Amino acid sequence: MKFSIGDVVELKSGSPEMTITSQKTQADFEQGYMHNGNYKCTWFEGAKEHSAIFPEDALELTEDQ
């Protein structure tokens, strides 16, 4: 897998900075995720926490790393 838990990433198309909070594996795939190689990312807008699952190919490390 390309990213590790704790890595700070953003969408290649632009987004807030997000933290990788879990990796979706083959076991997750068998439980119904579209495909493995997805990452759950978490970010904040003010005090509000958001999270979503993104495919590896849509993400890149932020320039700070």
Side-chain angles (χ1 to χ4, degrees):
M1 301 198 107
K2 184 175 180 179
F3 303 109
S4 299
I5 293 172
D7 283 350
V8 179
V9 297
E10 61 190 359
L11 292 173
K12 289 179 178 177
S13 61
S15 72
E17 290 186 347
M18 305 179 289
T19 302
I20 302 287
T21 53
S22 69
Q23 300 171 335
K24 299 304 172 191
T25 63
Q26 183 64 32
D28 295 321
F29 170 73
E30 292 166 1
Q31 294 178 14
Y33 284 100
M34 277 175 48
H35 57 82
N36 59 351
N38 288 341
Y39 294 85
K40 182 177 181 185
C41 299
T42 301
W43 68 98
F44 288 87
E45 290 183 27
K48 186 170 182 180
E49 181 179 348
H50 300 274
S51 64
I53 297 172
F54 298 100
E56 181 175 275
D57 291 342
L59 300 171
E60 62 187 4
L61 288 173
T62 61
E63 302 224 355
D64 297 343
Q65 295 191 39

Coordinates of all heavy atoms in Angstrom, one line a residue:
M1 N 0.8 -1.2 0.0 CA 0.0 0.0 0.0 C 0.9 1.2 0.0 O 1.9 1.3 0.6 CB -0.9 0.0 1.2 CG -1.9 -1.3 1.2 SD -3.3 -1.1 2.2 CE -4.5 -0.9 1.0
K2 N 0.4 2.3 -0.6 CA 1.2 3.5 -0.9 C 1.3 4.4 0.4 O 2.3 5.0 0.6 CB 0.6 4.2 -2.0 CG 1.3 5.5 -2.5 CD 0.7 6.1 -3.7 CE 1.4 7.3 -4.2 NZ 0.8 7.9 -5.4
F3 N 0.2 4.5 1.2 CA 0.2 5.4 2.3 C 0.1 4.6 3.6 O -0.4 3.4 3.6 CB -1.0 6.3 2.2 CG -1.0 7.1 0.9 CD1 -2.0 6.8 -0.1 CD2 -0.1 8.1 0.7 CE1 -2.0 7.5 -1.2 CE2 -0.1 8.8 -0.5 CZ -1.1 8.6 -1.5
S4 N 0.5 5.2 4.7 CA 0.4 4.6 6.0 C -0.5 5.4 6.9 O -0.8 6.6 6.7 CB 1.8 4.6 6.7 OG 2.7 3.8 5.9
I5 N -1.1 4.8 7.9 CA -1.9 5.5 8.9 C -1.1 6.6 9.5 O 0.1 6.4 9.8 CB -2.4 4.5 10.0 CG1 -3.4 3.5 9.3 CG2 -3.1 5.2 11.1 CD1 -3.9 2.4 10.2
G6 N -1.7 7.8 9.5 CA -1.0 9.0 10.1 C -0.5 9.9 9.0 O -0.2 11.0 9.3
D7 N -0.3 9.4 7.8 CA 0.1 10.2 6.7 C -0.9 11.3 6.4 O -2.1 11.1 6.5 CB 0.3 9.4 5.4 CG 1.5 8.6 5.3 OD1 2.4 8.7 6.2 OD2 1.7 7.7 4.4
V8 N -0.4 12.5 6.1 CA -1.2 13.6 5.7 C -1.3 13.7 4.2 O -0.2 13.8 3.5 CB -0.7 15.0 6.4 CG1 -1.6 16.1 6.0 CG2 -0.7 14.8 7.9
V9 N -2.5 13.7 3.7 CA -2.7 13.6 2.2 C -3.7 14.7 1.8 O -4.4 15.3 2.6 CB -3.2 12.2 1.8 CG1 -2.1 11.2 2.1 CG2 -4.5 11.9 2.4
E10 N -3.8 14.8 0.5 CA -4.9 15.6 -0.1 C -5.3 15.0 -1.4 O -4.6 14.1 -1.9 CB -4.5 17.1 -0.3 CG -3.3 17.2 -1.2 CD -2.7 18.6 -1.3 OE1 -3.2 19.5 -0.6 OE2 -1.7 18.8 -2.0
L11 N -6.5 15.3 -1.9 CA -6.9 14.8 -3.2 C -6.1 15.5 -4.2 O -5.7 16.7 -4.1 CB -8.4 15.2 -3.4 CG -9.4 14.4 -2.5 CD1 -10.8 15.0 -2.8 CD2 -9.4 12.9 -2.8
K12 N -5.8 14.7 -5.3 CA -5.0 15.3 -6.4 C -5.7 16.5 -7.0 O -5.0 17.4 -7.5 CB -4.7 14.2 -7.4 CG -3.7 13.2 -7.0 CD -3.5 12.1 -8.0 CE -2.5 11.1 -7.6 NZ -2.3 10.0 -8.6
S13 N -7.0 16.5 -7.0 CA -7.8 17.6 -7.5 C -7.9 18.8 -6.6 O -8.5 19.8 -6.9 CB -9.2 17.1 -7.9 OG -9.9 16.6 -6.8
G14 N -7.4 18.6 -5.4 CA -7.4 19.7 -4.4 C -8.4 19.4 -3.3 O -9.5 18.8 -3.6
S15 N -8.0 19.6 -2.0 CA -8.9 19.4 -0.9 C -8.2 19.9 0.4 O -7.1 20.3 0.3 CB -9.1 17.8 -0.7 OG -8.0 17.2 -0.3
P16 N -8.9 19.9 1.5 CA -8.2 20.2 2.7 C -7.2 19.1 3.0 O -7.3 18.0 2.5 CB -9.4 20.2 3.8 CG -10.6 20.1 3.1 CD -10.4 19.6 1.7
E17 N -6.3 19.4 3.9 CA -5.4 18.3 4.3 C -6.2 17.3 5.1 O -7.0 17.7 6.0 CB -4.2 18.9 5.2 CG -3.3 19.7 4.4 CD -2.1 20.2 5.2 OE1 -2.1 20.1 6.4 OE2 -1.1 20.6 4.5
M18 N -5.9 16.0 4.9 CA -6.6 14.9 5.5 C -5.6 13.9 6.1 O -4.5 13.8 5.5 CB -7.5 14.2 4.5 CG -8.5 15.1 3.8 SD -9.5 14.2 2.6 CE -8.3 13.8 1.3
T19 N -5.9 13.3 7.1 CA -5.1 12.3 7.7 C -5.6 10.9 7.4 O -6.8 10.6 7.6 CB -5.0 12.4 9.3 OG1 -4.5 13.7 9.6 CG2 -4.1 11.4 9.9
I20 N -4.7 10.0 7.0 CA -5.1 8.6 6.7 C -5.4 8.0 8.1 O -4.5 8.0 9.0 CB -4.0 7.8 6.0 CG1 -3.6 8.4 4.7 CG2 -4.4 6.3 5.9 CD1 -4.6 8.2 3.6
T21 N -6.6 7.5 8.3 CA -7.0 6.9 9.6 C -7.2 5.4 9.5 O -7.2 4.7 10.5 CB -8.2 7.5 10.2 OG1 -9.3 7.5 9.2 CG2 -8.0 9.0 10.6
S22 N -7.3 4.8 8.3 CA -7.3 3.3 8.2 C -7.1 3.0 6.7 O -7.4 3.8 5.8 CB -8.6 2.7 8.7 OG -9.7 3.0 7.9
Q23 N -6.6 1.8 6.5 CA -6.5 1.2 5.2 C -7.5 0.2 4.9 O -7.8 -0.6 5.8 CB -5.1 0.6 5.0 CG -4.0 1.6 5.2 CD -2.6 0.9 5.3 OE1 -2.5 -0.3 5.6 NE2 -1.6 1.6 5.0
K24 N -8.1 0.2 3.8 CA -9.1 -0.9 3.5 C -8.4 -2.0 2.7 O -7.8 -1.8 1.7 CB -10.2 -0.3 2.6 CG -10.9 0.9 3.3 CD -11.5 0.4 4.6 CE -12.1 1.5 5.4 NZ -12.4 1.1 6.8
T25 N -8.5 -3.2 3.3 CA -7.7 -4.4 2.9 C -8.6 -5.3 2.1 O -9.8 -5.1 2.0 CB -7.1 -5.1 4.1 OG1 -8.2 -5.5 4.9 CG2 -6.3 -4.1 4.9
Q26 N -8.0 -6.4 1.7 CA -8.8 -7.5 1.0 C -9.9 -8.0 1.9 O -11.0 -8.3 1.5 CB -7.9 -8.7 0.7 CG -8.5 -9.8 -0.1 CD -9.1 -9.3 -1.4 OE1 -8.5 -8.5 -2.1 NE2 -10.2 -9.9 -1.9
A27 N -9.7 -8.1 3.2 CA -10.8 -8.5 4.1 C -11.9 -7.6 4.1 O -13.1 -8.0 4.1 CB -10.2 -8.7 5.6
D28 N -11.6 -6.3 4.0 CA -12.7 -5.3 3.9 C -13.4 -5.4 2.6 O -14.7 -5.3 2.6 CB -12.1 -3.9 4.0 CG -11.5 -3.6 5.4 OD1 -12.0 -4.0 6.4 OD2 -10.4 -2.9 5.4
F29 N -12.7 -5.7 1.6 CA -13.3 -5.9 0.2 C -14.3 -7.1 0.3 O -15.4 -7.0 -0.2 CB -12.2 -6.3 -0.8 CG -12.7 -6.7 -2.1 CD1 -13.3 -5.9 -3.0 CD2 -12.6 -8.1 -2.5 CE1 -13.7 -6.3 -4.2 CE2 -13.0 -8.5 -3.7 CZ -13.6 -7.6 -4.6
E30 N -13.9 -8.1 1.0 CA -14.9 -9.3 1.1 C -16.1 -8.9 1.9 O -17.1 -9.6 1.8 CB -14.1 -10.4 1.7 CG -13.1 -11.0 0.8 CD -12.1 -11.9 1.4 OE1 -12.2 -12.2 2.6 OE2 -11.2 -12.4 0.7
Q31 N -16.0 -7.8 2.7 CA -17.2 -7.4 3.5 C -18.0 -6.3 2.8 O -18.9 -5.8 3.3 CB -16.7 -6.9 4.8 CG -16.1 -8.0 5.7 CD -15.7 -7.4 7.0 OE1 -16.0 -6.3 7.4 NE2 -14.9 -8.2 7.7
G32 N -17.6 -6.0 1.5 CA -18.5 -5.2 0.7 C -17.9 -3.9 0.2 O -18.6 -3.1 -0.5
Y33 N -16.6 -3.5 0.6 CA -16.1 -2.3 0.0 C -15.8 -2.5 -1.5 O -15.6 -3.7 -1.9 CB -14.8 -1.9 0.7 CG -15.0 -1.3 2.1 CD1 -14.8 -2.1 3.2 CD2 -15.4 0.0 2.2 CE1 -15.0 -1.5 4.5 CE2 -15.6 0.6 3.4 CZ -15.4 -0.2 4.5 OH -15.6 0.4 5.8
M34 N -15.9 -1.4 -2.3 CA -15.8 -1.6 -3.7 C -14.5 -2.3 -4.1 O -14.5 -3.2 -5.0 CB -15.8 -0.2 -4.4 CG -17.3 0.2 -4.6 SD -17.5 1.9 -5.2 CE -16.5 2.0 -6.6
H35 N -13.4 -1.9 -3.6 CA -12.1 -2.6 -3.9 C -11.1 -2.2 -2.8 O -11.2 -1.2 -2.2 CB -11.6 -2.2 -5.3 CG -11.4 -0.8 -5.5 ND1 -10.2 -0.1 -5.1 CD2 -12.1 0.2 -6.1 CE1 -10.4 1.2 -5.5 NE2 -11.5 1.4 -6.1
N36 N -10.1 -3.1 -2.7 CA -9.0 -2.7 -1.7 C -8.2 -1.7 -2.4 O -8.3 -1.3 -3.5 CB -8.2 -4.0 -1.3 CG -7.6 -4.7 -2.4 OD1 -7.8 -4.4 -3.6 ND2 -6.8 -5.7 -2.1
G37 N -7.3 -1.1 -1.6 CA -6.5 0.0 -2.0 C -7.2 1.4 -1.7 O -6.8 2.4 -2.2
N38 N -8.3 1.3 -0.9 CA -8.9 2.5 -0.5 C -8.4 2.9 0.9 O -8.0 2.1 1.7 CB -10.4 2.3 -0.4 CG -11.1 2.2 -1.8 OD1 -10.6 2.6 -2.8 ND2 -12.3 1.6 -1.8
Y39 N -8.5 4.2 1.2 CA -8.1 4.7 2.5 C -9.2 5.5 3.1 O -9.8 6.4 2.4 CB -6.9 5.6 2.3 CG -5.7 4.9 1.8 CD1 -5.5 4.6 0.5 CD2 -4.7 4.4 2.7 CE1 -4.3 3.9 0.0 CE2 -3.6 3.7 2.3 CZ -3.4 3.5 0.9 OH -2.3 2.8 0.5
K40 N -9.4 5.4 4.4 CA -10.3 6.2 5.1 C -9.5 7.4 5.6 O -8.5 7.3 6.2 CB -10.9 5.5 6.3 CG -11.9 6.4 7.1 CD -12.6 5.7 8.2 CE -13.6 6.6 8.9 NZ -14.1 6.0 10.1
C41 N -10.0 8.6 5.2 CA -9.3 9.9 5.6 C -10.2 10.7 6.5 O -11.5 10.7 6.3 CB -9.0 10.7 4.3 SG -7.9 9.8 3.2
T42 N -9.6 11.4 7.4 CA -10.3 12.3 8.3 C -9.8 13.7 8.2 O -8.6 13.9 8.1 CB -10.2 11.8 9.8 OG1 -10.7 10.4 9.8 CG2 -11.0 12.6 10.7
W43 N -10.6 14.7 8.3 CA -10.2 16.1 8.3 C -11.2 16.9 9.1 O -12.3 16.5 9.4 CB -10.1 16.6 6.8 CG -11.4 16.8 6.1 CD1 -12.1 17.9 5.9 CD2 -12.1 15.7 5.4 NE1 -13.2 17.7 5.1 CE2 -13.2 16.3 4.8 CE3 -11.9 14.4 5.2 CZ2 -14.2 15.6 4.1 CZ3 -12.8 13.6 4.4 CH2 -13.9 14.3 3.9
F44 N -10.8 18.1 9.3 CA -11.7 19.0 10.1 C -12.0 20.3 9.3 O -11.1 20.8 8.6 CB -11.0 19.4 11.4 CG -10.9 18.3 12.4 CD1 -9.9 17.4 12.4 CD2 -11.9 18.2 13.4 CE1 -9.8 16.4 13.3 CE2 -11.9 17.1 14.3 CZ -10.8 16.2 14.3
E45 N -13.2 20.8 9.5 CA -13.6 22.1 9.0 C -14.0 22.8 10.3 O -15.1 22.5 10.8 CB -14.7 22.0 8.0 CG -14.3 21.5 6.7 CD -15.4 21.4 5.6 OE1 -16.3 22.3 5.7 OE2 -15.3 20.6 4.8
G46 N -13.2 23.7 10.8 CA -13.4 24.3 12.1 C -13.4 23.2 13.1 O -12.4 22.4 13.2
A47 N -14.4 23.1 13.9 CA -14.4 22.0 15.0 C -15.2 20.8 14.5 O -15.2 19.8 15.2 CB -15.1 22.5 16.2
K48 N -15.7 20.8 13.3 CA -16.5 19.7 12.7 C -15.6 18.6 12.1 O -14.8 19.0 11.1 CB -17.5 20.2 11.8 CG -18.5 19.1 11.3 CD -19.7 19.6 10.6 CE -20.5 18.4 10.2 NZ -21.7 18.7 9.5
E49 N -15.7 17.4 12.5 CA -14.9 16.3 11.9 C -15.6 15.7 10.8 O -16.8 15.4 10.9 CB -14.6 15.3 13.0 CG -13.7 14.1 12.5 CD -13.5 13.1 13.6 OE1 -13.7 13.4 14.8 OE2 -13.0 12.0 13.2
H50 N -14.9 15.4 9.7 CA -15.4 14.7 8.5 C -14.6 13.5 8.2 O -13.4 13.5 8.5 CB -15.4 15.6 7.3 CG -16.2 16.8 7.5 ND1 -17.6 16.9 7.2 CD2 -15.9 18.1 7.8 CE1 -18.0 18.1 7.4 NE2 -17.0 18.9 7.8
S51 N -15.1 12.5 7.6 CA -14.3 11.4 7.1 C -15.0 10.8 5.9 O -16.2 10.9 5.7 CB -14.1 10.3 8.2 OG -15.3 9.7 8.5
A52 N -14.2 10.2 5.0 CA -14.6 9.6 3.8 C -13.6 8.6 3.4 O -12.4 8.6 3.8 CB -14.9 10.6 2.7
I53 N -14.0 7.7 2.5 CA -13.1 6.7 1.9 C -12.7 7.1 0.5 O -13.6 7.4 -0.3 CB -13.7 5.3 2.0 CG1 -14.0 4.9 3.4 CG2 -12.8 4.3 1.2 CD1 -14.8 3.7 3.6
F54 N -11.4 7.1 0.2 CA -11.0 7.5 -1.2 C -10.1 6.4 -1.7 O -9.3 5.8 -1.0 CB -10.2 8.8 -1.1 CG -10.9 10.0 -0.6 CD1 -10.8 10.4 0.8 CD2 -11.8 10.7 -1.4 CE1 -11.6 11.4 1.3 CE2 -12.5 11.7 -0.9 CZ -12.4 12.1 0.4
P55 N -10.1 6.3 -3.1 CA -9.1 5.3 -3.7 C -7.7 5.9 -3.7 O -7.5 7.1 -3.7 CB -9.6 5.2 -5.1 CG -10.5 6.4 -5.4 CD -11.0 6.9 -4.0
E56 N -6.8 5.0 -3.6 CA -5.4 5.4 -3.5 C -5.0 6.3 -4.7 O -4.2 7.3 -4.4 CB -4.5 4.1 -3.6 CG -3.0 4.3 -3.5 CD -2.3 3.0 -3.4 OE1 -2.1 2.5 -2.3 OE2 -1.9 2.5 -4.5
D57 N -5.4 6.0 -5.9 CA -5.0 6.8 -7.0 C -5.5 8.3 -7.0 O -5.0 9.1 -7.7 CB -5.5 6.2 -8.3 CG -4.8 4.9 -8.6 OD1 -3.7 4.7 -8.1 OD2 -5.3 4.1 -9.4
A58 N -6.5 8.6 -6.1 CA -7.0 10.0 -6.0 C -6.2 10.8 -5.0 O -6.4 12.0 -4.9 CB -8.5 9.9 -5.6
L59 N -5.3 10.2 -4.2 CA -4.6 10.9 -3.1 C -3.1 11.1 -3.4 O -2.5 10.3 -4.2 CB -4.7 10.0 -1.8 CG -6.1 9.7 -1.3 CD1 -6.1 8.7 -0.2 CD2 -6.8 11.0 -0.9
E60 N -2.6 12.1 -2.8 CA -1.2 12.4 -2.8 C -0.7 12.9 -1.5 O -1.5 13.6 -0.8 CB -0.8 13.3 -4.0 CG -1.4 14.7 -3.8 CD -1.2 15.6 -5.1 OE1 -0.5 15.1 -6.0 OE2 -1.6 16.7 -5.0
L61 N 0.5 12.7 -1.1 CA 1.0 13.3 0.1 C 1.1 14.8 0.0 O 1.3 15.3 -1.1 CB 2.5 12.8 0.4 CG 2.6 11.3 0.8 CD1 4.1 10.9 0.9 CD2 1.9 11.1 2.2
T62 N 0.9 15.5 1.1 CA 1.0 16.9 1.1 C 2.4 17.3 0.9 O 3.3 16.5 1.2 CB 0.4 17.5 2.4 OG1 1.2 17.1 3.5 CG2 -1.1 17.2 2.6
E63 N 2.7 18.5 0.5 CA 4.0 19.0 0.3 C 4.9 19.1 1.5 O 6.1 19.1 1.5 CB 4.0 20.3 -0.5 CG 3.2 20.3 -1.8 CD 3.9 21.0 -2.9 OE1 4.9 21.6 -2.7 OE2 3.4 20.9 -4.0
D64 N 4.2 19.1 2.7 CA 4.9 19.2 4.0 C 5.7 18.0 4.3 O 6.5 18.0 5.2 CB 3.9 19.6 5.1 CG 3.3 20.9 4.9 OD1 3.7 21.7 4.1 OD2 2.2 21.1 5.5
Q65 N 5.4 16.9 3.7 CA 6.0 15.6 4.1 C 7.1 15.2 3.2 O 7.2 15.4 2.1 CB 4.9 14.5 4.1 CG 3.9 14.8 5.1 CD 3.0 13.6 5.4 OE1 3.4 12.4 5.4 NE2 1.7 13.9 5.6

